[in-house]
Amino acid sequence: MVLANHRHGGTEMIRIAVVIGSTRPGRRGDQVARWVHERAQKHAAAGAVTYELVDLAEVGLPLLDEPVPAAIGDYRHEHTRRWSELVASFDGFVFVTPEYNHAMPAALKNAIDYLFTEWNDKAAAFVSYGFTGGVRAAEQLRLTLAEVKVAGVRSQVALNVFTDFTITDMTEPGTFTPADHHLPVLERMLDELTAWAGALAPLRRREPVRS
C-alpha cells in the first residue's frame, strides 16, 4: 500500500479527494463536485491542504472482481492496483453523492468495497443531493465507511433538487444554483475534515496490519 506522505515547506500537507459518487449519464453530481472543489480551494489555508477531483466514471471500476478479500491486499487486477494507489495517496475525502432509492449509488459502494487498508484512519465529509437532500444516502455511506475505519465529520451539506438546481426538464441535469446558506456549512465541514484528517495522521503512519 502507498501511504499518503506529503510535505510543504517543512509542514505536513493534507490531501483531500472530492469524489464524484455518481456515474450515471446526465448526472448532476459533477456540477456539485466542481462547486465543492472551487470553494474548497478558495477556503484552504495556503499550502496546508490541497483538493483534487476524483470521478468514479473516469476511474471505471467494473463490479468487484477480485478473488481475494480486500483486507488481504493481494490485488490481481491492474484497475484495482491503480485505484489502491489513488485512494492511498489521500488523507481525507469529500464524497458527493446522490440518493438512489434511500441509498448511495451502486458504483460508489462498489468502489469502497474494492479496498480496505487504503481507507483506514482517514476522514470523510459528505455533500449529498436529492429530492430530500440525499440525507439517507449519506447516512448509509457513513455506516459503510465506518466499517473500513473512516471517520465521518458531523457537518454535512444537503442539497435539494427542487431548490438548489434550476431544472426545466427533469430528464436533463439542469444547472446547479445552490442557495447562499450552504456556503458557511460547506466551509465549516471542510474545516472539520481538515482537522480530523490531521489528527488521524499518526495512525496512518503506522505499519499496516493485514488481517
Side-chain angles (χ1 to χ4, degrees), residues 1 4 17 49 55 67 69 73 90 100 104 129 142 158 174 182 186 206:
M1 184 188 75
V49 57
D55 188 347
F90 292 105
Y100 296 158
M104 74 182 92
Y129 61 96
R142 286 178 184 273
H182 291 301
L186 174 66
R206 295 185 310 186

Side-chain angles (χ1 to χ4, degrees), residues 43-157:
H43 183 67
V49 57
T50 62
Y51 295 89
E52 181 179 327
L53 282 169
V54 174
D55 188 347
L56 291 185
E58 294 180 359
V59 173
L61 292 169
L63 284 175
L64 182 57
D65 59 354
E66 286 289 340
V68 178
I72 304 299
D74 182 15
Y75 304 132
R76 308 297 174 85
H77 301 298
E78 182 59 30
H79 56 257
T80 311
R81 290 190 285 268
R82 288 195 303 268
W83 180 231
S84 168
E85 291 180 3
L86 182 60
V87 170
S89 72
F90 292 105
D91 304 294
F93 308 89
V94 179
F95 289 97
V96 177
T97 181
E99 181 178 313
Y100 296 158
N101 300 319
H102 286 225
M104 74 182 92
L108 180 51
K109 179 63 163 62
N110 185 60
I112 295 169
D113 290 345
Y114 257 94
L115 308 175
F116 180 73
T117 306
E118 295 84 347
W119 298 113
N120 290 180
D121 304 316
K122 298 181 180 180
F126 308 94
V127 177
S128 60
Y129 61 96
F131 293 154
T132 57
V135 294
R136 294 169 295 196
E139 285 302 300
Q140 186 194 56
L141 184 51
R142 286 178 184 273
L143 291 173
T144 298
L145 290 170
E147 183 62 20
V148 294
K149 298 174 63 177
V150 176
V153 303
R154 180 181 184 276
S155 295
Q156 175 182 328
V157 177

Side-chain angles (χ1 to χ4, degrees), residues 154-175:
R154 180 181 184 276
S155 295
Q156 175 182 328
V157 177
L159 304 162
N160 192 290
V161 168
F162 296 113
T163 58
D164 293 306
F165 293 82
T166 300
I167 300 172
T168 57
D169 181 349
M170 286 301 293
T171 66
E172 299 294 331
T175 303

